[in-house]
Amino acid sequence: IDAREEWQSVLGCRFLKTFLSDNDLMIEAVKGSVRMATPVAKIVLSGEIMAEILRYVEEDAEILSAKICSSEFQFRFDGLNYRVSSLKLETDLYDAWEDLLDERLEKIEALYDLLDSKYQAWRGLRNQEGP
């Protein structure tokens, strides 16, 4: 994978692979959308994709970005740039827009905290295992 910009890293793509077996954050399997890269081609998958993702990962493909879901969030995660986009949040109804904004900001913060803690745990395991 070519990291063309200095802020890009293949580590984010490898981190995305952990979502294949994660209990909290999962790659959307039924209405999914994934961009992958093999040594010879870039691949875009959509729809019911889990079997194809696993097949390509076994062939050493990297997951560049994927639609991720959990009980609280749905978003796209760009592994190369460690960027969240298309975030959908379930929120309660409020009379005041400030309360809605507060809830949304709390959930956004919770998502980044969750991603950061999972990434740190993954990095810790990766460092224990070695390169």
Side-chain angles (χ1 to χ4, degrees), residues 74-123:
Q74 184 177 6
F75 60 96
R76 288 199 57 78
F77 186 77
D78 178 348
L80 207 53
N81 294 298
Y82 201 87
R83 179 175 42 204
V84 171
S85 63
S86 303
L87 177 61
K88 293 181 184 177
L89 302 170
E90 296 293 326
T91 56
D92 295 327
L93 296 176
Y94 293 97
D95 292 330
W97 66 269
E98 294 94 347
D99 296 331
L100 175 63
L101 180 61
D102 287 342
E103 181 184 3
R104 291 179 64 81
L105 290 173
E106 287 172 11
K107 287 188 175 191
I108 291 168
E109 182 179 15
L111 172 61
Y112 277 94
D113 288 345
L114 179 62
L115 286 170
D116 286 344
S117 67
K118 287 189 175 290
Y119 184 79
Q120 293 305 322
W122 173 74
R123 286 290 304 258

Side-chain angles (χ1 to χ4, degrees), residues 26-42:
M26 297 164 272
I27 294 177
E28 172 64 60
V30 177
K31 296 180 181 176
S33 174
V34 173
R35 285 187 320 115
M36 303 180 82
T38 68
V40 295
K42 288 191 178 175

Side-chain angles (χ1 to χ4, degrees), residues 16-33:
L16 254 173
K17 284 183 188 178
T18 66
F19 295 167
L20 291 171
S21 60
D22 193 272
N23 293 328
D24 299 320
L25 298 171
M26 297 164 272
I27 294 177
E28 172 64 60
V30 177
K31 296 180 181 176
S33 174

